[in-house]
Amino acid sequence: MKLKPILLIILCVLLLGEIAVLVLLPANRQSPSGDLVLQEPSSATAPPTEPPTEPPTEPPTEPPTEPPTEAPTEPPVKHYTLSFAGDCTFGSTRKNWTNVHHFVQTIGENYDYPFDNVRQYFEQDDFTLINLEGPLTDSTSGASNKTFVFRGPTAYSQIMTGSSVDAVTLANNHAMDYGQEGYTSTVNVLKEAGITYVEKNSTAIHITESGLIIGLYAGAFDMRAKDVEAGIRELQNCGAQIIICAFHWGNEGEFRPTASQEQIARAAIDAGAHIVYGHHPHVLQRIEEYNDGYIFYSLGNFSFGGAALPKDYDTALVQVEVIQEDGQEPQLGELTIIPCSISSMENQNNFQPTPLEPGAVYNRVLSKLDGSYTGPNYKLDY
């Protein structure tokens, strides 16, 4: 039977619509099994999204801090060390000049030899003082007629310069052993060597490398208190910060000072001296602390060329501490005693003072310096 035209038209329209649907869905595909597989939406088509930005934040501000306050500093304190040793005779008598056991032949040209064992103390201190007992001269003329007349060659100044000896006293009974010529030679040698010297009844000023101003006054025997006081005033007027009186006095071989020594020493301290440094007895005498000062009544022999076989070998190196606070006058501090023998050998003087080890002899030296020694005095023949 024939369809009516209107129905045919409707059928055609429906058929075309279904074809159009299939054409508009190309992304849908079928799997080999005939199932419909849906394609995931492509990410390339989505515009990228940026994370939200936060406004910048200012760093937290800390409250201002006050600068730290420094603790008050103590004023600087200076420390000085002064060293003292006894009689030093760098030479021999005419009789013993060629004797191999005496000073000149023992030393030869080894000028470091005498102080080899104590040099460390001199080099580490600020000031070293000795009693130079005997002239340094190359002339053999003008010798005194005394029993003991000493002389050393001018080259012996190197014994002192090589071992940091800073000053000497010439106020003693052997300085003129070769007359004025020998004495003048000694003074000239000391000047050339740069060694401070103080003469009898005179004063001298020594300024240490560390800046301490030391005043020296020297006297020998029969000293008068008024002369000593005048010398001390002169040193005070010259700006001396530490004043040392070097006195050649007392009786040879006696371990106790005389009343005259005590009187003059204490008068010197009362007048403004800080230290009294005594010599001549050839033995040790006590050390006294008096009115904030120190008195060394006798430091005995040290490097003593006057005797190859002395009766007493005991000696000591004494050191005094000086303390100075900023802007203040210096004050004396501790006293240090180094007990020594005048020789590094037993039973013979080889003129090389040497510190002692603790023991009986060491203690005997200390007893002579603290005044407790009770042994007999010596009768010396040198």
Side-chain angles (χ1 to χ4, degrees):
M1 106 181 146
K2 295 183 180 180
L3 294 176
K4 293 182 179 181
I6 188 71
L7 291 174
L8 291 172
I9 292 170
I10 291 172
L11 289 172
C12 289
V13 170
L14 291 174
L15 182 62
L16 289 172
E18 210 166 292
I19 293 170
V21 170
L22 291 173
V23 172
L24 290 173
L25 296 174
N28 294 333
R29 55 187 177 89
Q30 288 182 332
S31 68
S33 62
D35 296 328
L36 183 66
V37 178
L38 298 179
Q39 184 179 12
E40 295 294 330
S42 174
S43 62
T45 59
T49 59
E50 295 184 2
T53 58
E54 296 182 1
T57 58
E58 293 291 332
T61 58
E62 296 182 359
T65 58
E66 294 292 330
T69 57
E70 296 184 0
T73 58
E74 294 293 327
V77 178
K78 295 180 180 179
H79 294 264
Y80 308 93
T81 300
L82 314 183
S83 299
F84 301 84
D87 296 348
C88 291
T89 298
F90 302 136
S92 299
T93 64
R94 290 168 292 184
K95 175 183 176 181
N96 294 320
W97 192 268
T98 58
N99 188 318
V100 295
H101 298 297
H102 283 260
F103 193 92
V104 172
Q105 297 303 315
T106 299
I107 303 305
E109 295 183 356
N110 185 2
Y111 307 124
D112 287 341
Y113 172 88
F115 292 143
D116 262 346
N117 297 332
V118 293
R119 183 176 300 108
Q120 58 178 321
Y121 298 102
F122 297 164
E123 290 180 341
Q124 294 172 8
D125 67 12
D126 295 273
F127 176 78
T128 302
L129 176 63
I130 64 171
N131 172 40
L132 180 58
E133 189 142 18
L136 300 181
T137 177
D138 297 321
S139 173
T140 58
S141 64
S144 169
N145 292 324
K146 297 188 304 181
T147 302
F148 297 101
V149 177
F150 303 121
R151 178 180 71 87
T154 56
Y156 281 179
S157 64
Q158 296 176 68
I159 295 174
M160 295 174 281
T161 56
S163 294
S164 192
V165 173
D166 300 287
V168 303
T169 171
L170 299 178
N172 57 66
N173 58 312
H174 287 284
M176 298 291 291
D177 277 4
Y178 275 74
Q180 187 61 48
E181 181 181 352
Y183 185 84
T184 300
S185 171
T186 304
V187 168
N188 290 337
V189 166
L190 294 171
K191 287 180 179 178
E192 292 172 4
I195 299 171
T196 300
Y197 62 92
V198 60
E199 301 176 88
K200 181 179 177 180
N201 299 330
S202 298
T203 60
I205 291 288
H206 179 91
I207 303 176
T208 69
E209 292 182 0
S210 48
L212 184 66
I213 304 173
I214 297 175
L216 302 171
Y217 174 82
F221 310 113
D222 300 328
M223 292 167 288
R224 298 183 303 178
K226 66 177 184 178
D227 295 330
V228 173
E229 292 165 359
I232 292 171
R233 283 195 301 270
E234 180 181 333
L235 292 170
Q236 290 170 332
N237 293 336
C238 290
Q241 297 171 294
I242 293 294
I243 295 177
I244 301 167
C245 289
F247 293 151
H248 203 69
W249 57 5
N251 297 326
E252 293 184 349
E254 294 189 1
F255 294 102
R256 283 156 287 280
T258 65
S260 175
Q261 286 175 264
E262 294 175 342
Q263 178 186 0
I264 292 294
R266 293 168 184 170
I269 298 295
D270 289 338
H274 298 84
I275 298 168
V276 172
Y277 158 61
H279 35 85
H280 174 63
H282 298 298
V283 295
L284 295 170
Q285 294 181 347
R286 77 172 189 269
I287 293 174
E288 179 180 326
E289 188 172 352
Y290 172 79
N291 196 14
D292 296 328
Y294 289 120
I295 301 171
F296 314 144
Y297 283 107
S298 174
L299 291 186
N301 294 327
F302 202 61
S303 180
F304 183 65
L309 297 171
K311 292 184 177 179
D312 188 4
Y313 287 75
D314 294 350
T315 189
L317 173 62
V318 179
Q319 294 188 314
V320 178
E321 177 190 31
V322 176
I323 304 170
Q324 183 181 21
E325 295 188 5
D326 189 36
Q328 303 296 318
E329 289 298 316
Q331 303 293 324
L332 299 186
E334 292 186 359
L335 182 77
T336 301
I337 297 172
I338 299 101
C340 297
S341 168
I342 64 173
S343 175
S344 63
M345 298 173 59
E346 291 186 7
N347 304 319
Q348 181 176 330
N349 184 10
N350 68 353
F351 321 108
Q352 193 175 56
T354 301
L356 293 167
E357 295 293 332
V361 178
Y362 182 102
N363 292 334
R364 184 178 66 208
V365 169
L366 293 178
S367 72
K368 292 176 180 179
L369 293 174
D370 67 21
S372 63
Y373 181 69
T374 58
N377 294 327
Y378 288 127
K379 183 178 180 181
L380 303 180
D381 55 358
Y382 50 84

